[in-house]
Amino acid sequence: MAEHNITGNIGEALAREHLEKQGFAIMETNWRRGKHEVDIIAYKEGLIVFAEVKTRRDLEHGTPEEFVDYKKQRAYVRMANDYVVKNKREEEVRFDIISVYIAPASEDCYIEHIENAFSPVELS
């Protein structure tokens, strides 16, 4: 497995653990629709969170969340719509970004959970 895939898998595992510690139940991981994928779909108290996880081992080219561009956000909104329709869900939906930085020398991990990182209205 390529190094970036290993890093991504570690980041997603840390993000799931982070959400569970906040009381979220993980409903889906790596949920696919066509060529797109939602990293984590989680539920807590009437709220479904669609979370994009970005993990980096260096910040030379920017922070992880800077890589969630307009195109990725639009794909997430479309997938969320597909998910709630397909599964007949009526809960509120939120789009979060979970940014994971793994320091290369120490392997220390830093997680930033950006709630309401974007909304469907912003993308119209």
Side-chain angles (χ1 to χ4, degrees):
M1 182 178 283
E3 180 67 29
H4 70 277
N5 290 335
I6 293 169
T7 299
N9 290 341
I10 292 168
E12 287 183 18
L14 290 168
R16 284 191 305 274
E17 183 179 302
H18 169 77
L19 287 169
E20 288 171 336
K21 284 180 181 175
Q22 290 188 352
F24 282 91
I26 306 301
M27 298 168 62
E28 305 273 354
T29 58
N30 306 112
W31 188 78
R32 296 192 69 78
R33 195 52 136 197
K35 65 181 181 175
H36 299 288
E37 176 182 278
V38 174
D39 293 328
I40 300 172
I41 303 173
Y43 176 83
K44 178 181 172 182
E45 299 172 359
L47 174 68
I48 299 175
V49 169
F50 290 80
E52 170 70 1
V53 180
K54 286 293 183 189
T55 307
R56 295 290 182 269
R57 289 190 178 270
D58 75 60
L59 302 176
E60 185 176 324
H61 301 291
T63 61
E65 64 272 12
E66 291 177 294
F67 291 88
V68 183
D69 61 10
Y70 178 81
K71 185 177 176 182
K72 175 68 103 173
Q73 292 174 17
R74 286 195 54 139
Y76 256 64
V77 170
R78 285 192 302 271
M79 289 186 293
N81 186 59
D82 289 348
Y83 184 86
V84 297
V85 168
K86 178 181 183 241
N87 293 288
K88 298 180 174 99
R89 303 301 298 233
E90 296 183 11
E91 294 90 348
E92 180 182 347
V93 169
R94 187 176 80 197
F95 299 95
D96 293 359
I97 298 172
I98 301 177
S99 175
V100 180
Y101 171 62
I102 303 171
S106 64
E107 293 295 312
D108 287 340
C109 298
Y110 304 92
I111 296 173
E112 182 177 3
H113 182 175
I114 304 165
E115 297 179 358
N116 284 311
F118 56 92
S119 72
V121 175
E122 295 170 346
L123 303 174
S124 301

